[in-house]
Structures are given as structure tokens and as C-alpha cells.
Amino acid sequence: MSDFSALCCKLLLGFCVFYSTNIKAADFVGTKQCISCHQNQFSAWQGSDHEMSMNHATDEYVLGNFEDASFVFRGKENRFFKKGEQFWVNIAGPDGKFNDYQIKYTFAYHPLQQYMVEFDDGRVQLIPFAWDSRKQEEGGQRWFDLYPDQTETHQEFYWTNTGQNWNYMCSDCHSTNVAKNFNAKSNTYKTTFSDINVGCESCHGPGSNHITWTKQKSIKKAHAGFERELSKAVSHWRLEANKATLTAESINPSQQTLVCAQCHSRRVQISEKDHVKGNNFGERYLLSRINNPLYYPDGQIYDETFVYGSFLQSKMERNGVVCSNCHDPHSTKLIMPKEQLCLQCHQSDTYAQKTHHQHLDNSAGAQCVNCHMPETTYMQVDERADHGWHIPRPDIAKQLGTPDTCLSCHEDKNSEWSSKKVEQWFPQSSTRAERHFSRVFSAADQGYANVASALSHIAQNEANSNIIRASALDRLAPFPDNNTIIAVARGAKHSDSNIRLGAISGSAALNGAERWRVIAPLLKDEVLAVRAQAALAIVPLWFELSEDNKNYLTPALNEYMQIQDFNADRGYAHNNQGNVFVYQANYQAAEKAYKTGMKIEPYFANSYTNLAELYRRQQQNNQSIEVLKAGQKASPENASIDYQLGLAYIRAKQTSLAVDNLKQAAIKAPNNAQYHYVYALSIESINSNEAQQSLNKAYQVGGNPQHLYALCELQIRLNSFQANQCINELSQVVPENVVQQLKSTLQQRQSVIQN
């Protein structure tokens, strides 16, 4: 035995003896304690995405050029240099002036690496410039600006603001055993972690019991002292007759996906509880469902969603596949070449054939991932695959404008071409005949009426994945009818917590008594996220509730408020608390909460608009105006503040100022139909031509027949020759009696003019 090995054994023995007598159960011990016994796993982990998730800025980890390098952005020079062994940057700071900042930490390594500065108040912030670590021939080895549109100090993603704050945005995923430790009174952090990067215990959980187990193996303990079940869900796959895909012999309980999802998901953290021990994602996180603007209506990824939401849509998830069926959890690499991965279960004599993929063998089109896992580029250079494994649907892409996978290669074609190709290849396909949820989701997202029945069907159809059913329930909120009540009531009783959460969102369509009846049982749900969201759904009914019902609501409502306390480093949390206080008519507490939110996050617009609304309720319109004017200065790009200020000026009978602000709102938010509509109403007597243009824009943007009706009505009053054309267009989207009423009015006005 070498001297080094002997020393390791002595150190390990001493460590184990120490921990067996002094460490309490389930303490974190650090990755270094795992090395000597798990050398193969440690070697695989070294250099992996997990090991490189975050590190101290040293020569070992920094990849970027800090040899007095410079990067000119928008005519201003940013410099990257060293002082001894320290790495420094000279860039514009929170005041917009250039200063030197020490780089304390690195973030990731490929295909880009980011860098972080630590401030005296405990904030750790990501600078806006990243190092493209790809090879030079691939376009790498250069500095570039990650957020070129976030260069103003009032913008959320300006580098010193909350959008680039590691403590809130990043730490829970990039380090191990993180405690955020934010102090709302002093507005400071004392964030801690046990490992700076994603170490062993990020996935396996605290290791002290495991170390004790290594000295007391005679004691039988599941998982060698760990509490998590991380094995694959399927231990044996079999090929059944007349099937081309392997089937799980049995699907065993596994928490592996829950562990991976804690980082590989788009979600909001709501506690520091161990969601794996609780065996439900909602104990620690609130998952984003398949909604705009994160996903396209067909479920494909749009924004950065980090895998889990896509994976939950897939047949893979329902049939027992877990992450380690494809990825090595220690190296984070694929376990085999990607062209072989799918053939573990999908039989090659069916799927690796031209009759299936319709492309030349060994071509790009013959590779499963290119058609079923299309990549989207984020952060300018980072290509990420969609883990929904969707069947390519160029017919849907042609209709809805969703991504057409075929066009990833065939850039000179369009979806009309690819749709015809697929139809020629698979004329008997049952897939194209199925009622896909995407068309209904798209219609609901655009506010089309009469979609409640279709959404309800999707929500109750067990052929759909649970995350899609939950997302259908989400979309029911604006569409109250009997179908909605039935779907929400059934969803609220479902065993899947995401479906219950979707039902809670959809319950906004229900009247007070109905909402209480359906949602109140969820106030005692076993999952924190469900209890808290149920409380949020019911608290607007506060003054309709009996004292007994208020008492029943209060424990879950307290948990909801505690979640906001946990996220007190964000303006939205104080805004949420203020809204609850408003529901309870505790206006003094609401005012304080909104103002605290402004202090914590000055550019968060809702704090201003909600405080202004609070003042309006109390008939303090002048104070409402002053708050909104302050909001304009703090968040000048936000259209909602201009819109609310315009309404406040209307109440104050200051028409000119009202028109100016409503116009600004419509300019800043050109896709907001309501802003165009209200602006049109405000200038109708001042500039009728512009009013008509704005009403037409409102209808074109939102498709709301009310806006087209208003345009027709205005043209009738103006005796416009376009009135008939407008009425004919309106007749396509409204009942006949409405059209006849307008035609009658038009005839009467024409008769008066002729006489």
C-alpha cells in the first residue's frame, strides 16, 4: 500500500470514528468525505457539469481571458484583468458608472462560463459578460454580452438587479445544502452552503448516516444509511408479442426523477423542505405548467424550462423511464452514443428503418433525436434538447405557428411542404386524426370564447399526461360554465398534485360558494404547494366566509404568507402579501407591504399599480397618481403603469394627460388589445381617425368581437362609408341579432341624413 493510500485510510478511519460518536442524524458532511471509498464515481464527477456548476475564481477553474482583455459593447470598453491571483473586471455598476469589481466565483464551463461578483450586503451577482468556451473554429473563445437588451439600471436583468442575483435565482441548483438566509429588515444576505458546487449530497442527501453505516454494517438500514431511493424505476424490460417497444415488467417506486427535477425544472422555490423525503415536488417547489410564455401551445419548449415540464408530458415518464436510463448521474454524460439510446427499448428492426424515419440510413434525418428531441438555443450558444419526445406535427405548425422540426434541416422549405410529406409517408396515421390539445390551448390563450367544453375534455382525458391535464385546468379560469365546474371538481380530487394545482387555478371561474365547496378540502392537502395555492384561491372570498370557514382557511393562508416571507428578497412576495391584506380590508398592512416591495425591488411594477389601486379604493386619487408617477420613473418601460396612470388622470378629469399616458401604454405594449381599446375610447372625440385605427388594432391583436363591435358603432356614428364593411366582418363572429341591431341603427342614421 502506498503512503498516500495509507494516509487516506487513516484519515477515513479517524473521520468515521469522529462522526459515529459526534454527528447527529442526517447531517451534510461534504463531497471530500466520499472520495476514498467512491473513487470511480468521484473520477466520473470531476470535470462534469455538476462539479463545474460553481467554483471559486482560481486559475484552475477560470476559462475566460483575463489577461488585460477588453470587450467593447455599445461603444464602451469593458476590461478583464488580474491583480496577482485575483480576477477582476471593469464594467458599469449599479449607478451606471464604470468601476473595478473582483470576480469571486465561476459559473459552469461549457459551452459558456459566467462570472460572479460578491457585494458587502451578501449579494452575489452575475456580470453581464460571459466567456464563450467553445473552440475557436466553432465561434468560441470570445467575450459576449448575455443580455444585450438589459443595459439600463432599472431593468430586472441588469447585472446588479434581482434577475441576476445568485442568492435567489441560482444558488439552490448550483450549490449543495443552500440556506438563503435573507434578512428583510436589513435587506442583506448571509447565504451558506456545504459544497460550493453540485456535490454528492445534492442528489444522495445528507451523508452522516451513511458514514455511520460504514462502521456498523451489521445494522440493517435501507440504502446504506441514505434515505433516498435513487435506483431505476424498472429493473427488467420485456418484449411482448406484436409490440415494437419494450414494456416494463413492473415499475418500482423511485425518487430519482424528483431529485433531478429539483434543478432541471422551471419552478419557484417555496421552502427549504426536503421534497424528496416528502416524496412530492410541491413540498419545496411550485412547478410551472405548460403555459404561455414558457411553452408553445403544443407543449414544445419556448423559454428556458429545464427539462422536467417536458419530461412529464412524455410517454417515457409514464412508462417507467428515469434520467439514468440515458444519462450517467456522476459524469452527466450520455451512457452510450445518442443514436443507440432509443434502441434500448425501441426495436431497431421497426424504428431504425426507412419505413419509419423516411430518410437515408445514417443521415441526420434517420437519428431519433433530430426529429423527436429538437434543440433550442438559449443564452446565445447553449443548445438544449426538448425532452417531451413529441411526434413531429407539421400540420399543427402550419396552423398555429409552432416549431416544425422538419424545417430544422430543410430550411428552404415551409410547413405546407413538410405537412404534405408526412401525409404521403403515413396516409393511414392515427396520430393526425387524434384531437391534439394544442389547437384548444392556442384558442384559449388568445381568449376565444366557447373553449370550456374542449378544455374540460382535455383535463379529464386520461390519455393525456397529467401535466397537460393540469395545464388545461389552468386555462379554464376565464371560462365559467358547467363543464368547468365538473372538470375543476374532479381535478381537485385527483391523486396527482399537479392536477390538483391546475384545478385550483381553474377554480377562479367558479362563484364564491362553488369555489369554497370544491377547493376548501385542499386547504388540508398533504402537499404544501397545494395548501398554499388553495388558500390563495379562497382568500378573495374572505368577507363571504363564516367565522368557522375563516378559521378553517387561516392555517393554510398562514403557510402561504410564510412562503412569501421565504421569498422576501423579491418584490412579488411583498406584493402578494399586500394583496391578501387588501382582501381582508387591512389597508394599512397592505400599504406597508407594497411599499416594502418597492424598497426591495424598485423596478417591480405591480407594487406601484397595486398601491395606486389601494389608494383609489380609498378615494385618494391624487396619491394614486403620485405613486404611479414614481412607478414610471422606477420602471419606465412598463406599460401597465402608463395605463393605470391614464385611468387615474381620467378620474381626475385631466383628459390631455390621460390620453398621453394611454397612448404610451399602447405603444409600449403593442400586443395588448385592452390598451388599444381604451386609448381609442379616450381619443374618440379628439381624433376619430386615430380612434378607428386603435379599435381595429385592438381587434386584430386580441380577436375580441367587442372591439370590432365598438369600431362598427363608431363608424356608424361618423357616417363612415366603411360601416357596412365592418358590420359584414362582425357578422362572422357574433350572433345575428347583434348584427341586425347595428344594421338597423345604420339605416336609421342614413335615413336621417337623406331627409
Side-chain angles (χ1 to χ4, degrees):
M1 179 182 293
S2 68
D3 291 342
F4 176 76
S5 299
L7 177 61
C8 287
C9 288
K10 288 179 181 178
L11 289 173
L12 178 62
L13 179 60
F15 178 81
C16 291
V17 170
F18 174 81
Y19 269 87
S20 66
T21 57
N22 291 283
I23 282 191
K24 296 180 181 178
D27 281 342
F28 285 83
V29 299
T31 293
K32 290 181 180 179
Q33 311 307 330
C34 308
I35 300 173
S36 58
C37 293
H38 301 283
Q39 185 62 55
N40 289 339
Q41 290 83 355
F42 176 73
S43 296
W45 174 80
Q46 285 185 295
S48 69
D49 290 336
H50 287 163
E51 196 231 346
M52 302 298 285
S53 62
M54 179 173 170
N55 280 292
H56 294 285
T58 64
D59 287 328
E60 180 182 1
Y61 293 111
V62 172
L63 301 179
N65 180 5
F66 281 83
E67 299 300 326
D68 202 21
S70 65
F71 173 67
V72 177
F73 179 70
R74 294 193 175 182
K76 296 181 179 180
E77 183 183 34
N78 304 270
R79 293 193 305 109
F80 308 87
F81 56 98
K82 294 183 71 174
K83 293 182 181 180
E85 295 183 353
Q86 296 176 350
F87 295 82
W88 287 74
V89 62
N90 180 265
I91 56 176
D95 56 359
K97 298 178 181 178
F98 276 69
N99 286 290
D100 291 348
Y101 298 95
Q102 184 185 353
I103 300 298
K104 296 295 290 290
Y105 306 102
T106 65
F107 221 49
Y109 76 112
H110 186 80
L112 70 156
Q113 186 173 67
Q114 294 179 263
Y115 304 94
M116 293 183 285
V117 170
E118 187 170 18
F119 289 89
D120 291 339
D121 60 4
R123 280 174 168 75
V124 178
Q125 301 288 141
L126 291 102
I127 68 170
F129 305 110
W131 178 254
D132 186 339
S133 55
R134 298 174 302 167
K135 296 177 181 178
Q136 193 166 8
E137 54 267 31
E138 296 174 351
Q141 301 301 298
R142 65 187 175 98
W143 289 103
F144 69 102
D145 193 302
L146 264 179
Y147 299 95
D149 296 326
Q150 297 285 313
T151 59
E152 302 297 330
T153 57
H154 63 264
Q155 293 176 305
E156 179 185 357
F157 282 86
Y158 185 77
W159 80 273
T160 57
N161 292 342
T162 52
Q164 294 299 328
N165 172 247
W166 167 84
N167 312 73
Y168 172 87
M169 297 288 291
C170 318
S171 62
D172 183 58
C173 285
H174 282 257
S175 301
T176 302
N177 185 30
V178 171
K180 185 168 60 172
N181 295 330
F182 176 73
N183 186 317
K185 290 184 178 180
S186 62
N187 196 11
T188 60
Y189 291 95
K190 290 186 179 179
T191 305
T192 62
F193 47 72
S194 56
D195 272 327
I196 192 172
N197 47 22
V198 178
C200 306
E201 292 167 298
S202 286
C203 301
H204 291 278
S208 60
N209 282 346
H210 172 67
I211 291 175
T212 300
W213 174 85
T214 64
K215 299 300 295 179
Q216 302 172 353
K217 290 185 179 179
S218 59
I219 299 175
K220 291 184 178 180
K221 194 168 183 67
H223 316 309
F226 289 109
E227 296 182 347
R228 297 179 173 183
E229 173 54 79
L230 300 184
S231 59
K232 294 177 181 177
V234 179
S235 57
H236 183 70
W237 301 85
R238 64 168 181 260
L239 182 61
E240 297 180 351
N242 301 319
K243 286 194 175 183
T245 303
L246 298 184
T247 303
E249 193 170 86
S250 63
I251 300 177
N252 306 313
S254 173
Q255 296 173 312
Q256 184 184 129
T257 303
L258 267 183
V259 168
C260 299
Q262 66 190 21
C263 296
H264 297 276
S265 61
R266 184 70 175 256
R267 78 293 189 279
V268 174
Q269 188 177 357
I270 60 176
S271 80
E272 289 178 343
K273 292 184 177 182
D274 186 344
H275 69 290
V276 182
K277 185 175 182 179
N279 213 40
N280 194 288
F281 196 71
E283 281 299 295
R284 187 179 176 98
Y285 305 106
L286 184 62
L287 179 67
S288 298
R289 291 181 285 279
I290 314 304
N291 294 320
N292 179 44
L294 299 182
Y295 297 85
Y296 289 99
D298 65 348
Q300 293 190 74
I301 55 175
Y302 177 74
D303 206 338
E304 291 182 274
T305 54
F306 309 108
V307 177
Y308 188 46
S310 299
F311 181 63
L312 289 177
Q313 299 178 55
S314 71
K315 292 182 179 179
M316 310 294 182
E317 191 272 339
R318 279 175 278 176
N319 287 288
V321 173
V322 294
C323 307
S324 65
N325 285 110
C326 298
H327 300 271
D328 182 285
H330 297 105
S331 70
T332 67
K333 297 177 181 178
L334 295 175
I335 61 174
M336 61 182 68
K338 62 182 180 181
E339 59 269 18
Q340 297 176 19
L341 278 173
C342 303
L343 302 181
Q344 293 180 93
C345 294
H346 299 272
Q347 298 301 287
S348 60
D349 56 359
T350 296
Y351 292 100
Q353 304 296 324
K354 191 175 187 299
T355 52
H356 175 72
H357 54 66
Q358 299 294 328
H359 290 75
L360 295 174
D361 290 339
N362 301 317
S363 68
Q367 302 302 319
C368 308
V369 294
N370 290 335
C371 292
H372 296 285
M373 300 183 71
E375 293 181 337
T376 301
T377 301
Y378 299 103
M379 306 180 83
Q380 300 184 41
V381 297
D382 193 2
E383 296 179 343
R384 303 181 197 170
D386 191 321
H387 281 64
W389 291 285
H390 305 280
I391 297 173
R393 293 294 301 271
D395 56 321
I396 293 176
K398 181 177 68 172
Q399 181 181 2
L400 303 180
T402 54
D404 183 348
T405 307
C406 303
L407 306 186
S408 299
C409 294
H410 302 279
E411 297 178 357
D412 60 331
K413 306 296 183 182
N414 57 31
S415 295
E416 178 72 29
W417 170 85
S418 52
S419 182
K420 288 180 179 177
K421 277 288 184 183
V422 172
E423 191 172 3
Q424 291 170 7
W425 290 338
F426 306 105
Q428 305 301 321
S429 171
S430 60
T431 299
R432 290 170 68 93
E434 292 174 358
R435 296 171 58 186
H436 198 272
F437 61 82
S438 57
R439 295 180 176 90
V440 180
F441 278 13
S442 178
D445 292 345
Q446 295 179 65
Y448 286 107
N450 305 319
V451 295
S453 177
L455 285 171
S456 299
H457 176 78
I458 293 168
Q460 296 173 77
N461 185 353
E462 294 184 358
N464 293 318
S465 64
N466 287 345
I467 192 71
I468 291 299
R469 296 173 66 184
S471 303
L473 288 165
D474 274 337
R475 288 173 167 83
L476 280 169
F479 306 108
D481 74 357
N482 290 335
N483 291 302
T484 299
I485 294 173
I486 293 169
V488 168
R490 289 178 175 171
K493 297 177 180 179
H494 199 275
S495 60
D496 184 271
S497 60
N498 279 319
I499 290 183
R500 299 200 298 278
L501 285 164
I504 292 169
S505 296
S507 73
L510 278 55
N511 64 44
E514 201 69 58
R515 196 186 315 172
W516 172 266
R517 182 183 67 80
V518 171
I519 301 301
L522 298 181
L523 296 170
K524 302 292 184 181
D525 197 89
E526 61 183 1
V527 179
L528 172 62
V530 176
R531 295 193 301 272
Q533 292 302 109
L536 177 62
I538 290 176
V539 71
L541 311 175
W542 184 262
F543 285 104
E544 299 177 34
L545 303 179
S546 67
E547 286 303 312
D548 285 345
N549 287 348
K550 288 179 181 178
N551 291 334
Y552 191 80
L553 165 63
T554 296
L557 185 59
N558 288 341
E559 288 185 299
Y560 174 79
M561 298 297 266
Q562 288 164 9
I563 289 171
Q564 311 318 309
D565 286 336
F566 174 73
N567 287 318
D569 48 343
R570 292 305 299 259
Y572 76 78
H574 300 280
N575 183 72
N576 291 345
Q577 289 183 326
N579 293 344
V580 170
F581 291 135
V582 168
Y583 293 136
Q584 296 174 325
N586 187 349
Y587 295 150
Q588 186 175 359
E591 181 181 18
K592 181 180 178 181
Y594 293 140
K595 287 183 175 179
T596 301
M598 294 175 191
K599 179 182 177 182
I600 294 293
E601 199 169 351
Y603 33 83
F604 183 68
N606 288 12
S607 297
Y608 299 93
T609 55
N610 285 339
L611 180 57
E613 174 61 17
L614 176 63
Y615 288 144
R616 185 197 69 78
R617 287 187 179 206
Q618 299 175 86
Q619 298 182 339
Q620 298 173 2
N621 197 52
N622 288 337
Q623 283 185 266
S624 180
I625 288 174
E626 291 305 311
V627 167
L628 291 168
K629 287 167 66 177
Q632 278 186 327
K633 292 180 180 179
S635 185
E637 296 176 356
N638 191 279
S640 65
I641 296 177
D642 296 314
Y643 178 72
Q644 294 296 334
L645 185 55
L647 297 181
Y649 278 130
I650 287 175
R651 292 191 294 271
K653 302 188 186 315
Q654 299 184 53
T655 305
S656 177
L657 289 173
V659 168
D660 289 344
N661 281 278
L662 292 172
K663 183 175 183 177
Q664 285 303 310
I667 291 172
K668 292 177 184 178
N671 293 322
N672 189 306
Q674 180 68 11
Y675 292 176
H676 291 290
Y677 175 64
V678 175
Y679 172 58
L681 298 183
S682 73
I683 61 166
E684 181 180 314
S685 60
I686 302 171
N687 188 332
S688 60
N689 287 333
E690 191 164 346
Q692 290 180 70
Q693 291 173 10
S694 293
L695 287 172
N696 183 58
K697 180 68 173 177
Y699 179 65
Q700 296 303 320
V701 166
N704 188 337
Q706 178 186 350
H707 299 158
L708 183 58
Y709 179 91
L711 175 60
C712 297
E713 194 177 46
L714 175 59
Q715 290 177 344
I716 290 173
R717 283 188 274 112
L718 294 172
N719 300 316
S720 170
F721 70 91
Q722 295 175 309
N724 270 317
Q725 180 181 343
C726 183
I727 293 172
N728 289 336
E729 185 177 356
L730 183 66
S731 67
Q732 306 299 314
V733 292
V734 299
E736 178 63 25
N737 63 308
V738 175
V739 175
Q740 289 302 323
Q741 182 182 4
L742 282 177
K743 285 183 175 180
S744 176
T745 303
L746 177 61
Q747 289 172 356
Q748 291 174 10
R749 291 193 65 86
Q750 290 175 339
S751 176
V752 169
I753 292 171
Q754 291 171 358
N755 293 330

